[in-house]
């Protein structure tokens, strides 16, 4: 039977094809969101508390100095602790604020970075204002305030990274490392005796070297374990929310373990640039002060390098121990005659 022009079949064939070429094709799956940083508000509070403690202890040390020259020397000695605390505080508070925005659906990269830098700026301004209001009004105070503000801004910028969980691990490990270094100072005298310090100059130098290495080694181990523990915790929380969340790969653990050492080295760069005036004033007091400042700077760099490598290695080893054996093919390979 032939098809007539007026038939329904012909009418259907004359209709334009409205089917979209993409119809019937499965939509492309969205890229998985990176794991969030759990406990960021608590980290922010702890970091702010540590910064406040460093500012208070520095103020007490400077105020107790009997002479202006002693105040300059003490300010230079306390500057690294304040800068490190400001760097970590800026990162921790910015991490908490960006995490709050992410939970509300605002997670664009540019906006996240701008908010992180702005949060670090607010932390830095608050620290600088507290220093100017509570410390003596002089050039030393202005140097500490300005350098602390710069460190907080840089820390906030670091928290603007896309993957929040490794940043949270770095902040946690860095904060734990800073607390450990201060607590370790109480064990220095017994360790000097343990490493053979008998009062002579040579024995004191040798013992100081071994005490510093012991401190750096233990700090690196602690940093790596804290970073690994935080990432493991973040992974478990992410799986509770979404079982399809991809697992973090080994570079995340490497960066998290090395992060505290990198922050210590970054703090040293900030100190040598922003605090150059204060360090020069302290070095100009006497030849002994110049030697002391040079020795302290070298020791801080060595400590940062040790913490970096030991922390990275510890985190990687801990991560490697969680990996299961490689799957094996159950079917035997065919044997050729």
């Amino acid at each position: 039977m032939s098809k007539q022009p007026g038939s329904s079949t012909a009418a259907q064939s004359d209709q334009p094809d409205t089917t979209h070429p993409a119809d019937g094709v499965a939509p492309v799956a969205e890229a998985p969101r990176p794991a969030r940083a759990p406990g960021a508000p608590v980290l922010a509070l702890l970091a702010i508390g540590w910064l406040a403690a460093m500012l208070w202890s520095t103020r007490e040390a400077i105020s107790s100095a009997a002479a202006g020259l002693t105040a300059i020397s003490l300010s230079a000695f306390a500057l690294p602790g304040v800068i490190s605390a400001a760097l970590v505080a800026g990162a921790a508070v910015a991490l908490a604020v960006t995490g709050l925005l992410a939970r509300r659906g605002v997670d664009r990269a540019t906006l996240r970075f701008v908010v992180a830098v702005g949060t670090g700026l607010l932390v830095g301004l608050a620290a600088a204002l507290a220093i100017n209001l509570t410390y003596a009004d002089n050039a030393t105070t202005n140097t500490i305030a300005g350098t602390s503000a710069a460190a907080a801004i840089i820390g906030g910028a670091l928290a603007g990274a896309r993957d929040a969980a490794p940043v949270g691990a770095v902040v946690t490990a860095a904060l734990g490392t800073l607390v450990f270094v201060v607590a370790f100072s109480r064990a220095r005298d017994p360790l000097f005796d343990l490493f053979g310090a008998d009062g002579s100059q040579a024995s004191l130098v040798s013992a100081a070297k071994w005490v510093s290495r012991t401190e750096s080694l233990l700090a690196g181990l602690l940093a790596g374990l804290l970073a690994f523990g935080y990432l493991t915790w973040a992974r478990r929380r992410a799986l509770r929310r979404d079982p399809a969340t991809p697992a973090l790969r080994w570079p995340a653990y490497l960066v998290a373990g090395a992060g505290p050492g990198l922050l210590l080295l970054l703090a040293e760069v900030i100190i040598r640039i922003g605090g150059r005036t204060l360090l020069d004033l302290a070095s100009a007091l006497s030849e002994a002060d110049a030697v002391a400042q040079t020795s302290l700077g070298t020791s801080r760099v060595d400590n940062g390098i040790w913490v970096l490598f030991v922390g990275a290695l510890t985190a990687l080893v801990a991560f490697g121990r969680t990996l299961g054996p490689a799957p094996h093919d159950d079917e035997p390979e065919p044997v050729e005659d």
Side-chain angles (χ1 to χ4, degrees), residues 164-178:
V167 177
V170 171
V171 171
T172 302
L175 187 59
T177 301
L178 294 178

Side-chain angles (χ1 to χ4, degrees), residues 41-316:
V42 177
L43 283 178
L45 291 176
L46 292 176
I48 289 295
W50 182 252
L51 175 59
M54 289 293 99
L55 293 177
W56 177 81
S57 63
T58 302
R59 176 185 175 277
E60 290 298 313
I62 296 175
S63 300
S64 63
L69 297 181
T70 306
I72 293 175
S73 179
L74 290 175
S75 298
F77 179 77
L79 183 63
V82 175
I83 299 307
S84 300
L87 186 64
V88 174
V93 177
L95 186 67
V97 174
T98 54
L100 179 62
L101 292 178
R103 283 192 293 271
R104 296 187 176 183
V106 182
D107 199 23
R108 289 180 294 178
T110 303
L111 180 60
R112 181 175 61 248
F113 181 76
V114 171
V115 170
V117 174
T119 304
L121 176 61
L122 292 178
V123 174
L125 291 177
L129 182 62
I131 292 171
N132 284 323
L133 291 178
T134 58
Y135 287 36
D137 187 11
N138 51 41
T140 299
T141 298
N142 295 332
T143 300
I144 298 176
T147 311
S148 300
I153 295 172
I154 295 174
L158 296 177
R162 179 176 181 270
D163 294 329
V167 177
V170 171
V171 171
T172 302
L175 187 59
T177 301
L178 294 178
V179 175
F180 169 79
V181 170
V182 173
F184 185 83
S185 61
R186 296 182 176 273
R188 284 182 175 273
D189 291 339
L191 286 177
F192 266 89
D193 297 335
L194 178 64
F195 289 121
D198 56 5
S200 63
Q201 186 68 23
S203 64
L204 288 175
V205 172
S206 177
K209 179 180 66 176
W210 284 106
V211 169
S212 178
R213 289 180 178 177
T214 302
E215 176 186 351
S216 301
L217 177 62
L218 294 178
L221 287 172
L222 178 63
L225 292 176
L226 286 176
F228 169 76
Y230 184 92
L231 288 180
T232 302
W233 178 41
R235 168 66 177 163
R236 291 175 180 174
R237 287 177 61 92
L239 287 177
R240 293 194 195 104
R241 292 195 308 266
D242 183 8
T245 302
L248 292 173
R249 300 179 65 85
W250 65 266
Y253 290 85
L254 176 67
V255 172
L262 291 174
L263 286 185
L264 291 176
L265 294 176
L266 179 59
E268 184 63 23
V269 173
I270 298 172
I271 292 167
R272 297 196 178 194
I273 295 176
R276 170 57 59 187
T277 303
L278 178 57
L279 297 180
D280 290 343
L281 286 175
S283 299
L285 295 178
S286 65
E287 184 177 352
D289 286 301
V291 173
Q293 290 300 324
T294 302
S295 176
L296 289 174
T298 303
S299 177
R300 290 193 299 267
V301 172
D302 291 342
N303 179 61
I305 294 174
W306 273 82
V307 173
L308 189 156
F309 284 103
V310 175
L313 182 61
T314 302
L316 276 183

